Amino acid sequence: QADDKPVVGLIMKSLANEFFQNMLVGAQAHEEKRGDYKLLAVGMQNETDFESQINAVENFITQGVDAIVVAPADSRAMVRPLKKAMAAGIVVVNFDVALDADAKKQQNVDLAFVGPDNRGGAKLAGDALGKKLGAGGKVVIIEGNPGADNANERRLGFEDSVAEYKLDLLDSRTAHWETEEANTVFSNMLTAHPDIQGVMAANDSMAIGVVKALESAGRDDIVVVGFDNIPAVGPMIEDGRMLATVDQFGTDMAANSIDLALEVVKGGAPLEGWVKTPIELVTAN
Amino acid sequence: MSFLSVEGLKKHFGGVKALDGVSFSLDKGEVHALVGENGAGKSTLIKILSGVFPHDEGSISFGGEAYQPANPHEAKELGVQVVHQEFNLLDHLTIAENVSIERMPRSRFGVLDRREMNRRARMALDAIGLTDIDVRAPVSSLGIAHRQLVEISRALQFRSKILILDEPTATLTERETSRLFDIVAGIKADGVTVVFVSHHLEEVFTICDRVTVFRNGKTISTDKIEDTTPEGVVQKMVGRELLANDRVDAQQLPKGEVALSVKDLVTTANPSGKGVSLELHYGEIVGLAGLVGSGRTEILRGIFGIDPIVSGKIFRDEKPVRFSGPRDAIAAGVGFVTEDRKDEGLILDMPISANISLANMGAVSSSGLLQFASEQRRARESGQKLKLKYGKLSDPVSSLSGGNQQKVVLAKWLSRNPKVLLLDEPTRGVDVGAKAEIYAILKDLARDGVSLLVVSSEIPELMTLADRILVLAEHQIQGVLTPAEFSEENILKLAYGQSQTGGDKLQ
Amino acid sequence: MTSQTMTEPVPAQARLSVRSVLQNAGIGLALLALILFFSVFTEHFLTPNNITNILTQITINLVLAVGMTFVILIGGIDLSVGSVMAFAAVVAGKAITLPGFGPAEAIALAIVAATVTGVACGIFNGVVSAYWALPSFIITLGMLNIARGAALQVSDAQTIYSFPFAFEEFGSSMVYGVPVVFLVALLLVLVAWFILNFTVFGRLLYGIGNNEEAVRLAGHPVFWYKVAAFTICGFTAGIAAIVYMARLNISSPIAGIGFELNAIAAVIIGGTSLSGGRGSVIGTLLGAFIIGVLANGLILIGLSDFMRQMITGVVIIIAVVLDYYRAKYTSK
Amino acid sequence: MTSQTMTEPVPAQARLSVRSVLQNAGIGLALLALILFFSVFTEHFLTPNNITNILTQITINLVLAVGMTFVILIGGIDLSVGSVMAFAAVVAGKAITLPGFGPAEAIALAIVAATVTGVACGIFNGVVSAYWALPSFIITLGMLNIARGAALQVSDAQTIYSFPFAFEEFGSSMVYGVPVVFLVALLLVLVAWFILNFTVFGRLLYGIGNNEEAVRLAGHPVFWYKVAAFTICGFTAGIAAIVYMARLNISSPIAGIGFELNAIAAVIIGGTSLSGGRGSVIGTLLGAFIIGVLANGLILIGLSDFMRQMITGVVIIIAVVLDYYRAKYTSK
Ligand SMILES: Nc1ncnc2c1ncn2[C@@H]1O[C@H](COP(=O)(O)OP(=O)(O)OP(=O)(O)O)[C@@H](O)[C@H]1O
Ligand SMILES: Nc1ncnc2c1ncn2[C@@H]1O[C@H](COP(=O)(O)OP(=O)(O)OP(=O)(O)O)[C@@H](O)[C@H]1O
Ligand SMILES: [Mg+2]
Ligand SMILES: [Mg+2]
């Protein structure tokens, strides 16, 4: 704080996830561009390492940052430490995954959320699949980490589409966000249900595993949708091996949240409610 | 009168019949010897009596009741204490803890009463003459003989009805042995029955009242000691007349060239800092005598390149050499039969044949590939040469009796045809028959021009084998004796460090 | 026999303790070096707040590592502690949120639920691995899966939350800046240290790790001692679950993934031998500090996550290499 | 007992194999039971397609487990294989996507890059743990972090994709329904089996695991043998990386998390002793099959994810318990 620039602490999830890595790159570019604040960024060891996020909040309180911008790994666990940060006079902005409403109420925390609608996004992808297959289409879901909020949201979004398009949900299993596991799990699901027509994968890494499994099985009649729009799925959407994915514009998300936080730090009005960020369905052409 | 009796006991391990009909009885207050060749089944019987494992057939009665302890605890409760042949100490714990391991004293709330524990250990060690050992030191700091004494003292502190000692003297020198015998006499006077296993018949004839002979898992006979002679016992043990040892071959062979010499050798294990010098000639057996802990092992380890050398030089064929490890020493034609076969000599889980070829893999392989046929052949040949007693060459060495394991160690080094062979306690735990065989083999080696350096705590052994005996005390060579000067008295005098009296100074 | 360096004026035990202090000091020196380094190169490392943070942050690992020390001392290993912790937390979370209890009762119920769950898993690990003399590595790997699956099943993969306020309170309360949960962990360390050094039970655990057969031949029921060691480890996993809940105010079925490796690392960095029979729980305390200080300091110093992970690996290796030289030097 | 039963007609080695077949048959029986169970209770288990799937799915674990067998046989352990695999895959991914190479050259380059990376990590593990006689558990735990961090750093946490078509081709090609990548793994098993049973090197690895000191005193360079075992393990991690890339057509820096536990489980379920000196790579093959068949069958049978995880744990435990009884029975 030597040069009196406000300090923003950015807490993300695992940077081993390219979504957050890209977000970090975006935020760093943003810091460079604006030049009027100092960015401290941390990720966590792995998806389930909630403690390190709490540690990060505590460390930021110790360091006396002006704002904390956080993508919570668990929507409930983070409420209390963030409340502590707010009590210490730090501006807190919650982005990417919303804190749990009930938990907020219980702790008497009032905090706005800046971010996309994960459930809505998943429903966009699910709807694309539903439209393609029509009612009665047999689908399966490849879920993210059980117990993780965004995994939960995305599953719920897919299930919304299943209900709306009267799809036939044959099976739903986790592959822990991971390509190889998705490949294995889906191959086995396909053996158990050879009549699968569509697959909803909760992220693109898993969608890649599914696509490879379909190739090995010699099936080109099964439609796959994913989520995240990582570069690696670009060619797959292009050549029709995947129907669609969903882009949450992660690169800008942290940067936008930081803008909002700095606004408040400079004396702007506190944020309220849900500041929605864009999501977009990505399909061929 | 007989208060423990064993009838028709059988026990097998896989295909091996370790006990094949054992019957004998113990009287109250006697010292009863069990003797027999390696692998005859003595330790197996003892393990059954002490509840380590159950027997297959037969019956045991103890104090008039059927006796079949389910575990060591039960046997101890009934008054049977054992010192097993293999070490059963906890290296990382203190001596006091080891002595009290069966029943550690507790003060209030189950808390360990260290003071009492140390006091008891002190008493137990004092009783056996280990007055100069700190009971709070870890067992790992002790030499092998001291460990044996600690185990004995542990068993002695309880008032048992039967005390079983399985080869307690194998690792002891004369002094500790005679101390042990005094103690045995004392507890015998208290009415305790002592079972004593030893391959040293003179010990058996010194302290025992009766002797039972084992052969191939069967009991051959039980005799009052006064009704038999060592020769008679040996004959029963081996089932034949033992070939008279041709060791009185006083005809001194001419000494060969110097095969290996050591000048002012000081290793990291030697705290005194003064070096050791010695010379070994081809065709000569040099004995290295000394008390336990006098530094015999460390000389051999230093020569063989195991312990780093601090100062001094080693010459092989008069040329200075540096052995940076056993590999170099072996390449220079040196072999080393180590003292502790379990920790340093054998790969217990591996087949007999694999152990025999361990130091000479080149001979049983070509371009890195094992030649099983040649390995088998070589192993079978050395087995025959050493009269090894085994089931199959593919059995793990751990299934052999102690003496036969020792022969495997020997076979391993002989298979390399070493020019210089260092031997540390080469006959520890070996039965009389096998011992004679090993002596003959060593003599043959010397006759073939090999140079041998033998460390032994058995003075008679050194006197039979050696052409010269060096006596060590406090890491220093106190003197050298020629065959004419060989006598227990001369050796012990030097070994007790009275170097000023008697014996020629070396060089 | 006469020989022996009888010129020793210092009793062996005294020297032993000095040596064992040095033994621990060895890894203590590595810790000191780390602390010094971070104090110099970061601004906030030695602030009271940050020290509080570090203490809080190492608590769970320390609690798990204390139990792990018992298991490793007997020559075993327990890979299930992370999962068992999650399972215990979920069961306790279900208990604490049961309707119709006052806060005090609910908390008591949760504590009982967590420890009973942990202990039950520990007993299972111990009985199965000791009875059949099976490698505890594989048995506890099985338990890792069982407990994780059970945690997810019981909680239906949902985070359980809204615990009584008093529970939170306990999780974040301090005594002179020292978190109460850390004091709980420290108490466990002391109790463990006492048990291992001053009770017959503790000495026999060392003995079992050293030479199981010898302890059996001395007439001790080795089976039960082994079960006890695993049970203690399960118990500490239950305690860790309570600390976790009090600290995060939630129970998550996916908590504790990979915690077993951290706990084992603390034990081994602390000088306890993986083959059993040698080591100390004080070493474990220092090992847990090394891991915690490293994690904290590397963040403060502002390294990127990936660099941080690499440096963590390098420092762990350097710590044990240093310890080697320390051991070599002091044994001279 | 009767001395010198010199009447043995069968060479010891041959009989040894019979016994070792029985030894493995034990765990083989557990495998058979599993296969039988799933064949009866699921529709698709024994279909050619599903068998192909199983073979594909166990390949990576099998490759890693072969290398792991060497390390465990000398009494070590390698926790880094999953991370090293990811690191090797990322390095190879960077290599294969370098512009300006034809597909053949690119593939060759990738294969060299992956194996060299794996071997380098293995050498590091081996040299550090053998030179200072440090517990390989902690050294390879360090490497786990180093390699993972390096993988993320090198790839910038991005999935690397768009490999030459021929590479994919290789990854998904079959010979009579048997995936070529599985044949590669099987070849590794055979080579490992040959090395361990028919070479001096293999014999001495067993010896080192059994009694390192005895092997050293017999004049063998134990240090280099240990380094070699870790190097082989690193090498197989490199091969696993290639299989991973060929199969999924991407390189992911977060691949292989937790693979080390699976590989170790395969080795131990296969009857190799964690304390070294005993075991066989054929057992490892069966162990890998047990894990793979279980994972496949439990999905086919339609168990929920959480139940599946629990049952996996239970079956792993039952498998080793069964093996205990088999060993007891056959040794009579
Ligand atoms: N655990 C075991 N497994 C297999 N065979 C064994 C086992 N214990 C002993 N044997 C075998 O049983 C026989 C008897 O062994 P035992 O140890 O009783 O002999 P011993 O008379 O004590 O010999 P020594 O004088 O060499 O100590 C030997 O052939 C030995 O190989
Ligand atoms: N590992 C060790 N730690 C500490 N002291 C040792 C160790 N090994 C040997 N010593 C000590 O070194 C000295 C020499 O031991 P060394 O083994 O050479 O004697 P030795 O004459 O061969 O006796 P032994 O009959 O015990 O083999 C003894 O004082 C012994 O107590
Ligand atoms: Mg015996
Ligand atoms: Mg000696």
PDB file of all heavy atoms in Angstrom, chain C residues 138, chain D residues 64-70 72-73 261-273 279-280 283-285 287-288 291:
ATOM      1  N   ILE C 138      -3.574 -51.540   2.267  1.00  0.00           N
ATOM      2  CA  ILE C 138      -4.672 -51.902   1.376  1.00  0.00           C
ATOM      3  C   ILE C 138      -6.005 -51.902   2.125  1.00  0.00           C
ATOM      4  O   ILE C 138      -7.043 -51.527   1.572  1.00  0.00           O
ATOM      5  CB  ILE C 138      -4.373 -53.264   0.693  1.00  0.00           C
ATOM      6  CG1 ILE C 138      -5.096 -53.363  -0.638  1.00  0.00           C
ATOM      7  CG2 ILE C 138      -4.714 -54.434   1.559  1.00  0.00           C
ATOM      8  CD1 ILE C 138      -4.388 -52.645  -1.720  1.00  0.00           C
TER       9      ILE C 138
ATOM     10  N   LEU D  64       1.374 -48.282 -15.182  1.00  0.00           N
ATOM     11  CA  LEU D  64       1.961 -47.671 -13.988  1.00  0.00           C
ATOM     12  C   LEU D  64       2.301 -48.733 -12.949  1.00  0.00           C
ATOM     13  O   LEU D  64       3.330 -48.663 -12.275  1.00  0.00           O
ATOM     14  CB  LEU D  64       0.985 -46.657 -13.379  1.00  0.00           C
ATOM     15  CG  LEU D  64       0.717 -45.397 -14.202  1.00  0.00           C
ATOM     16  CD1 LEU D  64      -0.365 -44.560 -13.551  1.00  0.00           C
ATOM     17  CD2 LEU D  64       1.986 -44.579 -14.367  1.00  0.00           C
ATOM     18  N   ALA D  65       1.416 -49.722 -12.822  1.00  0.00           N
ATOM     19  CA  ALA D  65       1.607 -50.731 -11.778  1.00  0.00           C
ATOM     20  C   ALA D  65       2.811 -51.618 -12.065  1.00  0.00           C
ATOM     21  O   ALA D  65       3.463 -52.105 -11.130  1.00  0.00           O
ATOM     22  CB  ALA D  65       0.345 -51.572 -11.616  1.00  0.00           C
ATOM     23  N   VAL D  66       3.122 -51.815 -13.335  1.00  0.00           N
ATOM     24  CA  VAL D  66       4.306 -52.619 -13.661  1.00  0.00           C
ATOM     25  C   VAL D  66       5.556 -51.941 -13.099  1.00  0.00           C
ATOM     26  O   VAL D  66       6.376 -52.561 -12.418  1.00  0.00           O
ATOM     27  CB  VAL D  66       4.436 -52.819 -15.180  1.00  0.00           C
ATOM     28  CG1 VAL D  66       5.809 -53.376 -15.538  1.00  0.00           C
ATOM     29  CG2 VAL D  66       3.343 -53.746 -15.684  1.00  0.00           C
ATOM     30  N   GLY D  67       5.686 -50.645 -13.359  1.00  0.00           N
ATOM     31  CA  GLY D  67       6.834 -49.923 -12.816  1.00  0.00           C
ATOM     32  C   GLY D  67       6.802 -49.903 -11.301  1.00  0.00           C
ATOM     33  O   GLY D  67       7.830 -50.075 -10.639  1.00  0.00           O
ATOM     34  N   MET D  68       5.610 -49.704 -10.763  1.00  0.00           N
ATOM     35  CA  MET D  68       5.461 -49.664  -9.308  1.00  0.00           C
ATOM     36  C   MET D  68       5.918 -50.983  -8.672  1.00  0.00           C
ATOM     37  O   MET D  68       6.471 -50.992  -7.577  1.00  0.00           O
ATOM     38  CB  MET D  68       3.992 -49.386  -8.970  1.00  0.00           C
ATOM     39  CG  MET D  68       3.735 -49.101  -7.525  1.00  0.00           C
ATOM     40  SD  MET D  68       4.443 -47.537  -6.958  1.00  0.00           S
ATOM     41  CE  MET D  68       3.265 -46.388  -7.623  1.00  0.00           C
ATOM     42  N   THR D  69       5.682 -52.090  -9.379  1.00  0.00           N
ATOM     43  CA  THR D  69       6.093 -53.388  -8.841  1.00  0.00           C
ATOM     44  C   THR D  69       7.591 -53.415  -8.564  1.00  0.00           C
ATOM     45  O   THR D  69       8.033 -53.906  -7.527  1.00  0.00           O
ATOM     46  CB  THR D  69       5.720 -54.506  -9.829  1.00  0.00           C
ATOM     47  OG1 THR D  69       4.335 -54.402 -10.147  1.00  0.00           O
ATOM     48  CG2 THR D  69       5.981 -55.875  -9.229  1.00  0.00           C
ATOM     49  N   PHE D  70       8.363 -52.861  -9.482  1.00  0.00           N
ATOM     50  CA  PHE D  70       9.823 -52.838  -9.281  1.00  0.00           C
ATOM     51  C   PHE D  70      10.172 -52.071  -8.011  1.00  0.00           C
ATOM     52  O   PHE D  70      10.991 -52.511  -7.205  1.00  0.00           O
ATOM     53  CB  PHE D  70      10.522 -52.176 -10.476  1.00  0.00           C
ATOM     54  CG  PHE D  70      10.642 -53.074 -11.671  1.00  0.00           C
ATOM     55  CD1 PHE D  70       9.595 -53.207 -12.571  1.00  0.00           C
ATOM     56  CD2 PHE D  70      11.802 -53.790 -11.899  1.00  0.00           C
ATOM     57  CE1 PHE D  70       9.706 -54.033 -13.670  1.00  0.00           C
ATOM     58  CE2 PHE D  70      11.926 -54.626 -13.000  1.00  0.00           C
ATOM     59  CZ  PHE D  70      10.869 -54.751 -13.887  1.00  0.00           C
ATOM     60  N   ILE D  72       8.261 -51.313  -5.411  1.00  0.00           N
ATOM     61  CA  ILE D  72       7.773 -51.930  -4.171  1.00  0.00           C
ATOM     62  C   ILE D  72       8.596 -53.178  -3.845  1.00  0.00           C
ATOM     63  O   ILE D  72       8.856 -53.475  -2.689  1.00  0.00           O
ATOM     64  CB  ILE D  72       6.268 -52.241  -4.273  1.00  0.00           C
ATOM     65  CG1 ILE D  72       5.499 -50.912  -4.336  1.00  0.00           C
ATOM     66  CG2 ILE D  72       5.786 -53.051  -3.085  1.00  0.00           C
ATOM     67  CD1 ILE D  72       3.999 -51.042  -4.322  1.00  0.00           C
ATOM     68  N   LEU D  73       9.044 -53.875  -4.873  1.00  0.00           N
ATOM     69  CA  LEU D  73       9.856 -55.072  -4.621  1.00  0.00           C
ATOM     70  C   LEU D  73      11.152 -54.743  -3.885  1.00  0.00           C
ATOM     71  O   LEU D  73      11.637 -55.536  -3.089  1.00  0.00           O
ATOM     72  CB  LEU D  73      10.188 -55.791  -5.932  1.00  0.00           C
ATOM     73  CG  LEU D  73       9.135 -56.779  -6.416  1.00  0.00           C
ATOM     74  CD1 LEU D  73       9.573 -57.384  -7.741  1.00  0.00           C
ATOM     75  CD2 LEU D  73       8.903 -57.873  -5.399  1.00  0.00           C
ATOM     76  N   LEU D 261      -2.322 -44.282  -6.056  1.00  0.00           N
ATOM     77  CA  LEU D 261      -2.972 -45.209  -5.129  1.00  0.00           C
ATOM     78  C   LEU D 261      -3.532 -46.417  -5.869  1.00  0.00           C
ATOM     79  O   LEU D 261      -3.468 -47.548  -5.390  1.00  0.00           O
ATOM     80  CB  LEU D 261      -4.075 -44.505  -4.340  1.00  0.00           C
ATOM     81  CG  LEU D 261      -3.597 -43.523  -3.271  1.00  0.00           C
ATOM     82  CD1 LEU D 261      -4.764 -43.013  -2.448  1.00  0.00           C
ATOM     83  CD2 LEU D 261      -2.558 -44.157  -2.364  1.00  0.00           C
ATOM     84  N   ASN D 262      -4.105 -46.165  -7.041  1.00  0.00           N
ATOM     85  CA  ASN D 262      -4.621 -47.276  -7.831  1.00  0.00           C
ATOM     86  C   ASN D 262      -3.515 -48.230  -8.244  1.00  0.00           C
ATOM     87  O   ASN D 262      -3.688 -49.450  -8.201  1.00  0.00           O
ATOM     88  CB  ASN D 262      -5.301 -46.737  -9.092  1.00  0.00           C
ATOM     89  CG  ASN D 262      -6.799 -46.728  -8.935  1.00  0.00           C
ATOM     90  OD1 ASN D 262      -7.335 -47.364  -8.025  1.00  0.00           O
ATOM     91  ND2 ASN D 262      -7.478 -46.013  -9.804  1.00  0.00           N
ATOM     92  N   ALA D 263      -2.388 -47.658  -8.655  1.00  0.00           N
ATOM     93  CA  ALA D 263      -1.280 -48.516  -9.093  1.00  0.00           C
ATOM     94  C   ALA D 263      -0.740 -49.315  -7.914  1.00  0.00           C
ATOM     95  O   ALA D 263      -0.494 -50.519  -8.024  1.00  0.00           O
ATOM     96  CB  ALA D 263      -0.168 -47.659  -9.713  1.00  0.00           C
ATOM     97  N   ILE D 264      -0.579 -48.664  -6.785  1.00  0.00           N
ATOM     98  CA  ILE D 264      -0.076 -49.372  -5.601  1.00  0.00           C
ATOM     99  C   ILE D 264      -1.073 -50.458  -5.207  1.00  0.00           C
ATOM    100  O   ILE D 264      -0.693 -51.583  -4.858  1.00  0.00           O
ATOM    101  CB  ILE D 264       0.161 -48.387  -4.440  1.00  0.00           C
ATOM    102  CG1 ILE D 264       1.249 -47.382  -4.818  1.00  0.00           C
ATOM    103  CG2 ILE D 264       0.573 -49.137  -3.177  1.00  0.00           C
ATOM    104  CD1 ILE D 264       1.370 -46.222  -3.853  1.00  0.00           C
ATOM    105  N   ALA D 265      -2.363 -50.125  -5.280  1.00  0.00           N
ATOM    106  CA  ALA D 265      -3.380 -51.113  -4.924  1.00  0.00           C
ATOM    107  C   ALA D 265      -3.269 -52.338  -5.821  1.00  0.00           C
ATOM    108  O   ALA D 265      -3.336 -53.477  -5.350  1.00  0.00           O
ATOM    109  CB  ALA D 265      -4.769 -50.497  -5.022  1.00  0.00           C
ATOM    110  N   ALA D 266      -3.082 -52.116  -7.116  1.00  0.00           N
ATOM    111  CA  ALA D 266      -2.960 -53.256  -8.032  1.00  0.00           C
ATOM    112  C   ALA D 266      -1.787 -54.139  -7.622  1.00  0.00           C
ATOM    113  O   ALA D 266      -1.890 -55.364  -7.584  1.00  0.00           O
ATOM    114  CB  ALA D 266      -2.773 -52.762  -9.466  1.00  0.00           C
ATOM    115  N   VAL D 267      -0.677 -53.500  -7.276  1.00  0.00           N
ATOM    116  CA  VAL D 267       0.517 -54.258  -6.915  1.00  0.00           C
ATOM    117  C   VAL D 267       0.268 -55.066  -5.645  1.00  0.00           C
ATOM    118  O   VAL D 267       0.599 -56.257  -5.570  1.00  0.00           O
ATOM    119  CB  VAL D 267       1.722 -53.303  -6.718  1.00  0.00           C
ATOM    120  CG1 VAL D 267       2.933 -54.061  -6.212  1.00  0.00           C
ATOM    121  CG2 VAL D 267       2.041 -52.592  -8.024  1.00  0.00           C
ATOM    122  N   ILE D 268      -0.334 -54.434  -4.664  1.00  0.00           N
ATOM    123  CA  ILE D 268      -0.495 -55.116  -3.367  1.00  0.00           C
ATOM    124  C   ILE D 268      -1.594 -56.165  -3.434  1.00  0.00           C
ATOM    125  O   ILE D 268      -1.453 -57.263  -2.900  1.00  0.00           O
ATOM    126  CB  ILE D 268      -0.766 -54.103  -2.256  1.00  0.00           C
ATOM    127  CG1 ILE D 268       0.401 -53.135  -2.176  1.00  0.00           C
ATOM    128  CG2 ILE D 268      -0.937 -54.807  -0.924  1.00  0.00           C
ATOM    129  CD1 ILE D 268       0.269 -52.119  -1.111  1.00  0.00           C
ATOM    130  N   ILE D 269      -2.692 -55.838  -4.094  1.00  0.00           N
ATOM    131  CA  ILE D 269      -3.730 -56.856  -4.265  1.00  0.00           C
ATOM    132  C   ILE D 269      -3.123 -58.050  -4.992  1.00  0.00           C
ATOM    133  O   ILE D 269      -3.457 -59.195  -4.719  1.00  0.00           O
ATOM    134  CB  ILE D 269      -4.929 -56.279  -5.050  1.00  0.00           C
ATOM    135  CG1 ILE D 269      -5.659 -55.237  -4.200  1.00  0.00           C
ATOM    136  CG2 ILE D 269      -5.898 -57.394  -5.444  1.00  0.00           C
ATOM    137  CD1 ILE D 269      -6.805 -54.568  -4.908  1.00  0.00           C
ATOM    138  N   GLY D 270      -2.196 -57.759  -5.887  1.00  0.00           N
ATOM    139  CA  GLY D 270      -1.523 -58.827  -6.612  1.00  0.00           C
ATOM    140  C   GLY D 270      -0.539 -59.616  -5.772  1.00  0.00           C
ATOM    141  O   GLY D 270       0.164 -60.470  -6.295  1.00  0.00           O
ATOM    142  N   GLY D 271      -0.458 -59.331  -4.500  1.00  0.00           N
ATOM    143  CA  GLY D 271       0.315 -60.182  -3.617  1.00  0.00           C
ATOM    144  C   GLY D 271       1.750 -59.739  -3.362  1.00  0.00           C
ATOM    145  O   GLY D 271       2.504 -60.441  -2.696  1.00  0.00           O
ATOM    146  N   THR D 272       2.149 -58.602  -3.889  1.00  0.00           N
ATOM    147  CA  THR D 272       3.503 -58.133  -3.616  1.00  0.00           C
ATOM    148  C   THR D 272       3.528 -57.459  -2.254  1.00  0.00           C
ATOM    149  O   THR D 272       2.639 -56.686  -1.928  1.00  0.00           O
ATOM    150  CB  THR D 272       3.958 -57.164  -4.723  1.00  0.00           C
ATOM    151  OG1 THR D 272       4.028 -57.882  -5.952  1.00  0.00           O
ATOM    152  CG2 THR D 272       5.324 -56.576  -4.418  1.00  0.00           C
ATOM    153  N   SER D 273       4.565 -57.804  -1.494  1.00  0.00           N
ATOM    154  CA  SER D 273       4.634 -57.296  -0.130  1.00  0.00           C
ATOM    155  C   SER D 273       5.166 -55.874  -0.108  1.00  0.00           C
ATOM    156  O   SER D 273       6.175 -55.566  -0.738  1.00  0.00           O
ATOM    157  CB  SER D 273       5.542 -58.192   0.691  1.00  0.00           C
ATOM    158  OG  SER D 273       6.062 -57.488   1.778  1.00  0.00           O
ATOM    159  N   GLY D 279       6.824 -61.054  -4.218  1.00  0.00           N
ATOM    160  CA  GLY D 279       5.739 -60.659  -5.108  1.00  0.00           C
ATOM    161  C   GLY D 279       6.071 -60.971  -6.543  1.00  0.00           C
ATOM    162  O   GLY D 279       7.130 -61.503  -6.842  1.00  0.00           O
ATOM    163  N   SER D 280       5.123 -60.657  -7.415  1.00  0.00           N
ATOM    164  CA  SER D 280       5.364 -60.935  -8.820  1.00  0.00           C
ATOM    165  C   SER D 280       4.548 -59.988  -9.671  1.00  0.00           C
ATOM    166  O   SER D 280       3.514 -59.488  -9.255  1.00  0.00           O
ATOM    167  CB  SER D 280       4.968 -62.373  -9.148  1.00  0.00           C
ATOM    168  OG  SER D 280       3.597 -62.424  -9.462  1.00  0.00           O
ATOM    169  N   GLY D 283       1.093 -61.196 -10.560  1.00  0.00           N
ATOM    170  CA  GLY D 283       0.118 -60.798  -9.549  1.00  0.00           C
ATOM    171  C   GLY D 283      -0.384 -59.386  -9.810  1.00  0.00           C
ATOM    172  O   GLY D 283      -1.586 -59.100  -9.718  1.00  0.00           O
ATOM    173  N   THR D 284       0.535 -58.507 -10.167  1.00  0.00           N
ATOM    174  CA  THR D 284       0.158 -57.127 -10.464  1.00  0.00           C
ATOM    175  C   THR D 284      -0.849 -57.082 -11.604  1.00  0.00           C
ATOM    176  O   THR D 284      -1.826 -56.327 -11.560  1.00  0.00           O
ATOM    177  CB  THR D 284       1.414 -56.315 -10.828  1.00  0.00           C
ATOM    178  OG1 THR D 284       2.301 -56.320  -9.708  1.00  0.00           O
ATOM    179  CG2 THR D 284       1.064 -54.894 -11.194  1.00  0.00           C
ATOM    180  N   LEU D 285      -0.608 -57.886 -12.630  1.00  0.00           N
ATOM    181  CA  LEU D 285      -1.540 -57.948 -13.762  1.00  0.00           C
ATOM    182  C   LEU D 285      -2.938 -58.304 -13.261  1.00  0.00           C
ATOM    183  O   LEU D 285      -3.939 -57.654 -13.601  1.00  0.00           O
ATOM    184  CB  LEU D 285      -1.037 -58.986 -14.764  1.00  0.00           C
ATOM    185  CG  LEU D 285      -1.926 -59.295 -15.969  1.00  0.00           C
ATOM    186  CD1 LEU D 285      -2.002 -58.100 -16.903  1.00  0.00           C
ATOM    187  CD2 LEU D 285      -1.410 -60.510 -16.735  1.00  0.00           C
ATOM    188  N   GLY D 287      -4.047 -58.035 -10.209  1.00  0.00           N
ATOM    189  CA  GLY D 287      -4.536 -56.959  -9.349  1.00  0.00           C
ATOM    190  C   GLY D 287      -5.154 -55.838 -10.166  1.00  0.00           C
ATOM    191  O   GLY D 287      -6.226 -55.316  -9.834  1.00  0.00           O
ATOM    192  N   ALA D 288      -4.485 -55.471 -11.261  1.00  0.00           N
ATOM    193  CA  ALA D 288      -5.022 -54.410 -12.114  1.00  0.00           C
ATOM    194  C   ALA D 288      -6.356 -54.843 -12.722  1.00  0.00           C
ATOM    195  O   ALA D 288      -7.287 -54.040 -12.850  1.00  0.00           O
ATOM    196  CB  ALA D 288      -4.016 -54.063 -13.214  1.00  0.00           C
ATOM    197  N   ILE D 291      -9.196 -54.486 -10.129  1.00  0.00           N
ATOM    198  CA  ILE D 291      -9.637 -53.100  -9.978  1.00  0.00           C
ATOM    199  C   ILE D 291     -10.460 -52.669 -11.189  1.00  0.00           C
ATOM    200  O   ILE D 291     -11.521 -52.048 -11.059  1.00  0.00           O
ATOM    201  CB  ILE D 291      -8.414 -52.178  -9.779  1.00  0.00           C
ATOM    202  CG1 ILE D 291      -7.740 -52.509  -8.451  1.00  0.00           C
ATOM    203  CG2 ILE D 291      -8.824 -50.720  -9.832  1.00  0.00           C
ATOM    204  CD1 ILE D 291      -6.459 -51.750  -8.212  1.00  0.00           C
TER     205      ILE D 291
END
